[in-house]
Amino acid sequence: MYKVLRIVFCILAVICTAVTVFIFAYFKLWGFVPLCGAAAFAMLMFVCKGRQEREENRLAPTEPQGDFITGKVNDDKTD
């Protein structure tokens, strides 16, 4: 579901961005209306992306990655 919403919000953000250019050209400051709409749709797209990634990690957590050279998983965390 989140994948579909991401695509829809992305398309709406692109449409609002494209319309913004013409509205600024003909109606001056009214161009901020579709510009704010594009920003809102882009924000919703990123929110759906985060929720989709959280849901995917909850359903199937990733396995720990091994070391690049040895391939062993290092359990001790030394920072």
Side-chain angles (χ1 to χ4, degrees), residues 33-47:
V33 174
L35 185 65
C36 291
F41 287 131
M43 181 190 66
L44 287 170
M45 180 181 62
F46 287 119
V47 167

Side-chain angles (χ1 to χ4, degrees), residues 11-72:
I11 291 170
L12 289 173
V14 168
I15 289 171
C16 285
T17 305
V19 168
T20 299
V21 175
F22 298 108
I23 292 183
F24 265 125
Y26 293 114
F27 300 108
K28 307 294 181 217
L29 293 177
W30 282 101
F32 284 112
V33 174
L35 185 65
C36 291
F41 287 131
M43 181 190 66
L44 287 170
M45 180 181 62
F46 287 119
V47 167
C48 287
K49 178 183 179 184
R51 288 189 180 179
Q52 177 186 1
E53 288 174 352
R54 249 186 277 136
E55 185 176 313
E56 287 174 356
N57 285 338
R58 183 179 56 86
L59 294 176
T62 58
E63 303 223 0
Q65 294 283 331
D67 188 17
F68 177 71
I69 296 173
T70 62
K72 295 179 184 176

